[in-house]
Amino acid sequence: MMIYVSGKITGDKNYKQKFEKAANKLISFGYDVFNPAILPNGLEYEQYMQIDFLALSFCQGIYLLDDWEQSSGAKRELEEAKRLGLKVITEDDFMYSDTLVQICNDTENIIESDADQDFEDKVYDKRLQKITNMVRTAAFFHDLGKTKEENFEMLCKDIPENERDFSSRNS
């Protein structure tokens, strides 16, 4: 899926870094990305918009940065994306995946920080690490074409039934 990144450029001196960060995030989740912030300087505003609209015609989705509403160009890009029937994606759509990845990172930090464990805790931690790896993998395969509920169902299907009970350290 090719995704077009849209947000405020005019008046934002850090727009290149902001767009690059968003593009890298999308790439890390397996998407192809068109990043308009890489276009060269020196064109007129309407020339940039023509290029942007052409690029949108080759995309399947538009990714709206949080500041998109502050940009007349991003608003126009969104209207064009809607006209083309593209999937509209916001930074909030990644909250699910970002949260899961952060939980995985925090869990690993807790496991690593507890060096004085008995055998039972080590077995539990190995099990927890295995599940953490499955959740992280599922988070990276988050499908923006599906709802949050559908993605959560896919995550649950990837975790074996016997690994879903976290209440017991002896499972």
Side-chain angles (χ1 to χ4, degrees), residues 65-81:
L65 296 169
D66 283 340
D67 62 1
W68 74 270
E69 291 179 292
Q70 300 168 19
S71 167
S72 59
K75 289 176 186 176
R76 288 177 63 190
E77 291 164 350
L78 174 59
E79 288 306 311
E80 179 66 7

PDB file of all heavy atoms in Angstrom, residues 65-81:
ATOM      1  N   LEU A  65      -0.723  14.120   9.224  1.00  0.00           N
ATOM      2  CA  LEU A  65       0.000  14.486  10.436  1.00  0.00           C
ATOM      3  C   LEU A  65      -0.930  15.301  11.331  1.00  0.00           C
ATOM      4  O   LEU A  65      -1.920  15.873  10.862  1.00  0.00           O
ATOM      5  CB  LEU A  65       1.251  15.294  10.084  1.00  0.00           C
ATOM      6  CG  LEU A  65       2.303  14.539   9.268  1.00  0.00           C
ATOM      7  CD1 LEU A  65       3.365  15.490   8.745  1.00  0.00           C
ATOM      8  CD2 LEU A  65       2.933  13.438  10.088  1.00  0.00           C
ATOM      9  N   ASP A  66      -0.609  15.372  12.609  1.00  0.00           N
ATOM     10  CA  ASP A  66      -1.490  16.052  13.560  1.00  0.00           C
ATOM     11  C   ASP A  66      -1.777  17.504  13.194  1.00  0.00           C
ATOM     12  O   ASP A  66      -2.824  18.039  13.542  1.00  0.00           O
ATOM     13  CB  ASP A  66      -0.903  15.995  14.979  1.00  0.00           C
ATOM     14  CG  ASP A  66      -1.092  14.631  15.632  1.00  0.00           C
ATOM     15  OD1 ASP A  66      -1.974  13.865  15.177  1.00  0.00           O
ATOM     16  OD2 ASP A  66      -0.365  14.332  16.589  1.00  0.00           O
ATOM     17  N   ASP A  67      -0.864  18.154  12.487  1.00  0.00           N
ATOM     18  CA  ASP A  67      -1.034  19.578  12.166  1.00  0.00           C
ATOM     19  C   ASP A  67      -1.676  19.821  10.799  1.00  0.00           C
ATOM     20  O   ASP A  67      -1.686  20.954  10.307  1.00  0.00           O
ATOM     21  CB  ASP A  67       0.317  20.293  12.235  1.00  0.00           C
ATOM     22  CG  ASP A  67       1.332  19.767  11.238  1.00  0.00           C
ATOM     23  OD1 ASP A  67       1.006  18.839  10.454  1.00  0.00           O
ATOM     24  OD2 ASP A  67       2.476  20.268  11.251  1.00  0.00           O
ATOM     25  N   TRP A  68      -2.238  18.820  10.183  1.00  0.00           N
ATOM     26  CA  TRP A  68      -2.757  18.954   8.822  1.00  0.00           C
ATOM     27  C   TRP A  68      -3.825  20.036   8.703  1.00  0.00           C
ATOM     28  O   TRP A  68      -3.922  20.697   7.675  1.00  0.00           O
ATOM     29  CB  TRP A  68      -3.295  17.607   8.306  1.00  0.00           C
ATOM     30  CG  TRP A  68      -4.600  17.194   8.896  1.00  0.00           C
ATOM     31  CD1 TRP A  68      -4.787  16.448  10.024  1.00  0.00           C
ATOM     32  CD2 TRP A  68      -5.899  17.507   8.413  1.00  0.00           C
ATOM     33  NE1 TRP A  68      -6.119  16.279  10.271  1.00  0.00           N
ATOM     34  CE2 TRP A  68      -6.832  16.917   9.289  1.00  0.00           C
ATOM     35  CE3 TRP A  68      -6.382  18.231   7.325  1.00  0.00           C
ATOM     36  CZ2 TRP A  68      -8.207  17.028   9.117  1.00  0.00           C
ATOM     37  CZ3 TRP A  68      -7.748  18.337   7.147  1.00  0.00           C
ATOM     38  CH2 TRP A  68      -8.649  17.734   8.038  1.00  0.00           C
ATOM     39  N   GLU A  69      -4.604  20.235   9.761  1.00  0.00           N
ATOM     40  CA  GLU A  69      -5.684  21.231   9.695  1.00  0.00           C
ATOM     41  C   GLU A  69      -5.159  22.664   9.644  1.00  0.00           C
ATOM     42  O   GLU A  69      -5.900  23.579   9.305  1.00  0.00           O
ATOM     43  CB  GLU A  69      -6.630  21.060  10.885  1.00  0.00           C
ATOM     44  CG  GLU A  69      -7.434  19.767  10.807  1.00  0.00           C
ATOM     45  CD  GLU A  69      -8.347  19.578  11.988  1.00  0.00           C
ATOM     46  OE1 GLU A  69      -7.830  19.365  13.104  1.00  0.00           O
ATOM     47  OE2 GLU A  69      -9.569  19.648  11.787  1.00  0.00           O
ATOM     48  N   GLN A  70      -3.892  22.868   9.967  1.00  0.00           N
ATOM     49  CA  GLN A  70      -3.283  24.196   9.925  1.00  0.00           C
ATOM     50  C   GLN A  70      -2.705  24.506   8.537  1.00  0.00           C
ATOM     51  O   GLN A  70      -2.064  25.531   8.356  1.00  0.00           O
ATOM     52  CB  GLN A  70      -2.169  24.297  10.969  1.00  0.00           C
ATOM     53  CG  GLN A  70      -2.645  24.080  12.385  1.00  0.00           C
ATOM     54  CD  GLN A  70      -1.472  23.901  13.341  1.00  0.00           C
ATOM     55  OE1 GLN A  70      -0.345  24.270  13.039  1.00  0.00           O
ATOM     56  NE2 GLN A  70      -1.751  23.337  14.501  1.00  0.00           N
ATOM     57  N   SER A  71      -2.926  23.609   7.594  1.00  0.00           N
ATOM     58  CA  SER A  71      -2.339  23.751   6.266  1.00  0.00           C
ATOM     59  C   SER A  71      -3.412  23.746   5.189  1.00  0.00           C
ATOM     60  O   SER A  71      -4.155  22.771   5.040  1.00  0.00           O
ATOM     61  CB  SER A  71      -1.367  22.588   6.017  1.00  0.00           C
ATOM     62  OG  SER A  71      -1.001  22.521   4.662  1.00  0.00           O
ATOM     63  N   SER A  72      -3.453  24.826   4.422  1.00  0.00           N
ATOM     64  CA  SER A  72      -4.426  24.861   3.325  1.00  0.00           C
ATOM     65  C   SER A  72      -4.075  23.812   2.272  1.00  0.00           C
ATOM     66  O   SER A  72      -4.962  23.210   1.664  1.00  0.00           O
ATOM     67  CB  SER A  72      -4.500  26.261   2.709  1.00  0.00           C
ATOM     68  OG  SER A  72      -3.240  26.653   2.222  1.00  0.00           O
ATOM     69  N   GLY A  73      -2.793  23.558   2.066  1.00  0.00           N
ATOM     70  CA  GLY A  73      -2.377  22.540   1.106  1.00  0.00           C
ATOM     71  C   GLY A  73      -2.791  21.143   1.546  1.00  0.00           C
ATOM     72  O   GLY A  73      -3.278  20.341   0.735  1.00  0.00           O
ATOM     73  N   ALA A  74      -2.616  20.831   2.822  1.00  0.00           N
ATOM     74  CA  ALA A  74      -3.011  19.517   3.343  1.00  0.00           C
ATOM     75  C   ALA A  74      -4.526  19.343   3.254  1.00  0.00           C
ATOM     76  O   ALA A  74      -5.008  18.247   2.944  1.00  0.00           O
ATOM     77  CB  ALA A  74      -2.533  19.349   4.784  1.00  0.00           C
ATOM     78  N   LYS A  75      -5.265  20.421   3.481  1.00  0.00           N
ATOM     79  CA  LYS A  75      -6.728  20.342   3.345  1.00  0.00           C
ATOM     80  C   LYS A  75      -7.117  20.023   1.901  1.00  0.00           C
ATOM     81  O   LYS A  75      -8.007  19.215   1.659  1.00  0.00           O
ATOM     82  CB  LYS A  75      -7.379  21.649   3.803  1.00  0.00           C
ATOM     83  CG  LYS A  75      -7.324  21.864   5.303  1.00  0.00           C
ATOM     84  CD  LYS A  75      -7.910  23.217   5.670  1.00  0.00           C
ATOM     85  CE  LYS A  75      -7.741  23.512   7.143  1.00  0.00           C
ATOM     86  NZ  LYS A  75      -8.223  24.861   7.480  1.00  0.00           N
ATOM     87  N   ARG A  76      -6.423  20.643   0.967  1.00  0.00           N
ATOM     88  CA  ARG A  76      -6.687  20.361  -0.450  1.00  0.00           C
ATOM     89  C   ARG A  76      -6.297  18.926  -0.802  1.00  0.00           C
ATOM     90  O   ARG A  76      -6.998  18.240  -1.544  1.00  0.00           O
ATOM     91  CB  ARG A  76      -5.916  21.355  -1.329  1.00  0.00           C
ATOM     92  CG  ARG A  76      -6.492  22.763  -1.291  1.00  0.00           C
ATOM     93  CD  ARG A  76      -5.675  23.738  -2.106  1.00  0.00           C
ATOM     94  NE  ARG A  76      -5.657  23.377  -3.537  1.00  0.00           N
ATOM     95  CZ  ARG A  76      -4.854  23.949  -4.428  1.00  0.00           C
ATOM     96  NH1 ARG A  76      -4.011  24.912  -4.051  1.00  0.00           N
ATOM     97  NH2 ARG A  76      -4.879  23.579  -5.685  1.00  0.00           N
ATOM     98  N   GLU A  77      -5.174  18.472  -0.242  1.00  0.00           N
ATOM     99  CA  GLU A  77      -4.743  17.091  -0.485  1.00  0.00           C
ATOM    100  C   GLU A  77      -5.766  16.098   0.062  1.00  0.00           C
ATOM    101  O   GLU A  77      -6.067  15.086  -0.586  1.00  0.00           O
ATOM    102  CB  GLU A  77      -3.369  16.842   0.139  1.00  0.00           C
ATOM    103  CG  GLU A  77      -2.256  17.600  -0.562  1.00  0.00           C
ATOM    104  CD  GLU A  77      -0.971  17.697   0.238  1.00  0.00           C
ATOM    105  OE1 GLU A  77      -0.954  17.335   1.437  1.00  0.00           O
ATOM    106  OE2 GLU A  77       0.031  18.162  -0.338  1.00  0.00           O
ATOM    107  N   LEU A  78      -6.307  16.389   1.229  1.00  0.00           N
ATOM    108  CA  LEU A  78      -7.323  15.510   1.812  1.00  0.00           C
ATOM    109  C   LEU A  78      -8.556  15.462   0.917  1.00  0.00           C
ATOM    110  O   LEU A  78      -9.111  14.376   0.674  1.00  0.00           O
ATOM    111  CB  LEU A  78      -7.702  15.975   3.223  1.00  0.00           C
ATOM    112  CG  LEU A  78      -8.857  15.206   3.883  1.00  0.00           C
ATOM    113  CD1 LEU A  78      -8.530  13.710   3.996  1.00  0.00           C
ATOM    114  CD2 LEU A  78      -9.161  15.808   5.244  1.00  0.00           C
ATOM    115  N   GLU A  79      -9.003  16.598   0.427  1.00  0.00           N
ATOM    116  CA  GLU A  79     -10.172  16.618  -0.461  1.00  0.00           C
ATOM    117  C   GLU A  79      -9.904  15.801  -1.728  1.00  0.00           C
ATOM    118  O   GLU A  79     -10.770  15.058  -2.181  1.00  0.00           O
ATOM    119  CB  GLU A  79     -10.567  18.064  -0.811  1.00  0.00           C
ATOM    120  CG  GLU A  79     -11.197  18.809   0.352  1.00  0.00           C
ATOM    121  CD  GLU A  79     -12.387  18.072   0.963  1.00  0.00           C
ATOM    122  OE1 GLU A  79     -13.284  17.630   0.202  1.00  0.00           O
ATOM    123  OE2 GLU A  79     -12.420  17.911   2.195  1.00  0.00           O
ATOM    124  N   GLU A  80      -8.698  15.935  -2.270  1.00  0.00           N
ATOM    125  CA  GLU A  80      -8.341  15.160  -3.462  1.00  0.00           C
ATOM    126  C   GLU A  80      -8.298  13.663  -3.129  1.00  0.00           C
ATOM    127  O   GLU A  80      -8.767  12.832  -3.903  1.00  0.00           O
ATOM    128  CB  GLU A  80      -6.988  15.627  -4.021  1.00  0.00           C
ATOM    129  CG  GLU A  80      -6.519  14.876  -5.245  1.00  0.00           C
ATOM    130  CD  GLU A  80      -7.379  15.081  -6.487  1.00  0.00           C
ATOM    131  OE1 GLU A  80      -8.309  15.920  -6.476  1.00  0.00           O
ATOM    132  OE2 GLU A  80      -7.116  14.398  -7.496  1.00  0.00           O
ATOM    133  N   ALA A  81      -7.743  13.321  -1.984  1.00  0.00           N
ATOM    134  CA  ALA A  81      -7.684  11.919  -1.558  1.00  0.00           C
ATOM    135  C   ALA A  81      -9.091  11.340  -1.411  1.00  0.00           C
ATOM    136  O   ALA A  81      -9.351  10.211  -1.839  1.00  0.00           O
ATOM    137  CB  ALA A  81      -6.911  11.797  -0.248  1.00  0.00           C
TER     138      ALA A  81
END
